[in-house]
Amino acid sequence: MNLIVFGSTGSIGTLIVKQALQEGHRVTAFTRNPEKLQAPASPLLHIFKGDLTDKTAIQEAVKNQEAVLCAIGDGNKGSIRAIGTKNIIDAMKQEGIKRLICETTLGLGDSAGNLNFFWKYVMFGMLLKKAFKDHQLQEQHLVGSDLDYTIVRPSAFTAGERTDRYKIGFDSKAKGLSLKISRADVAGFMLKQVTSNEYIRKAVSISN
């Protein structure tokens, strides 16, 4: 398939690009800094230099794509996830592209109950407050679109290998969660959604 990855130089996006190439997809990596892209040389890889605030560049980049994967990172700045996602959505509508898989975070919406005291009040309540609010607005843009979106809400990232063994779609009362998952597994799960209809127009939680 023709796939485009936004956030392609981030910790999740880098792995999405690598895994997608391994699976034989034709991948466009959208990035402001191509020199930061960590991906093997491949005839299936196209690098598109652009900025998430540039609507014209985004629209040009999404032309002829079959699915869009969004893994925008911004640390705790809280300044680009929602804006970038809204621009991606608008470009997709202009080009008639429907499928969008977007990473946000566990703790949003009905998954708030899955967080322990530390994550709810210390991390998202104080240290990552801006980022959390940015993710909230990001999800509002997704839900308000008429696209075939899937919102992926992962728990805290680890550097582990891809295992494809994790809990998916649990409710807010789920017990025994580690609240951790490897970046490779998040990337792998997002990539699986490209060819799956199971979570279209849904938000799905994922954790070990």
Side-chain angles (χ1 to χ4, degrees):
M1 293 180 69
N2 293 333
L3 308 179
I4 184 168
V5 181
F6 289 92
S8 60
T9 59
S11 63
I12 301 296
T14 294
L15 293 169
I16 294 174
V17 170
K18 290 180 179 179
Q19 292 180 18
L21 291 173
Q22 289 171 357
E23 293 181 14
H25 296 291
R26 295 175 294 276
V27 180
T28 297
F30 187 97
T31 176
R32 185 176 54 184
N33 300 301
E35 67 278 4
K36 293 184 178 180
L37 186 66
Q38 299 178 22
S42 170
L44 298 175
L45 176 63
H46 172 65
I47 301 172
F48 192 106
K49 184 176 181 179
D51 192 284
L52 286 165
T53 62
D54 187 340
K55 296 182 179 181
T56 301
I58 294 173
Q59 186 171 342
E60 181 65 27
V62 300
K63 285 181 179 179
N64 301 315
Q65 304 294 341
E66 295 173 86
V68 176
L69 295 108
C70 178
I72 302 171
D74 193 31
N76 190 35
K77 296 176 183 177
S79 61
I80 194 62
R81 293 181 184 90
I83 293 171
T85 301
K86 178 63 165 59
N87 289 340
I88 292 166
I89 290 169
D90 291 344
M92 291 176 66
K93 289 180 178 180
Q94 288 292 323
E95 294 301 321
I97 300 163
K98 298 289 288 185
R99 192 72 176 105
L100 172 60
I101 300 99
C102 186
E103 169 225 332
T104 62
T105 184
L106 190 69
L108 289 170
D110 57 7
S111 69
N114 298 123
L115 300 183
N116 57 28
F117 180 91
F118 176 75
W119 274 99
K120 186 177 292 185
Y121 297 107
V122 178
M123 295 302 290
F124 289 147
M126 293 186 292
L127 301 178
L128 298 175
K129 190 173 183 177
K130 291 180 180 179
F132 191 75
K133 288 186 175 181
D134 200 23
H135 274 310
Q136 285 179 316
L137 183 55
Q138 183 182 32
E139 286 203 358
Q140 289 175 23
H141 290 320
L142 291 161
V143 173
S145 74
D146 60 354
L147 301 180
D148 291 334
Y149 65 83
T150 296
I151 296 171
V152 179
R153 294 172 172 167
S155 54
F157 301 140
T158 70
E161 298 295 322
R162 180 174 176 176
T163 67
D164 291 318
R165 296 191 302 272
Y166 36 73
K167 296 180 181 179
I168 308 168
F170 43 83
D171 62 27
S172 61
K173 298 179 181 179
K175 304 297 182 182
L177 298 173
S178 70
L179 296 183
K180 294 180 180 179
I181 187 167
S182 73
R183 292 176 179 86
D185 271 336
V186 176
F189 179 75
M190 290 179 67
L191 197 52
K192 286 180 181 179
Q193 305 320 302
V194 167
T195 54
S196 172
N197 296 326
E198 185 173 1
Y199 298 110
I200 284 184
R201 301 201 177 188
K202 295 180 180 179
V204 57
S205 300
I206 176 172
S207 180
N208 284 352

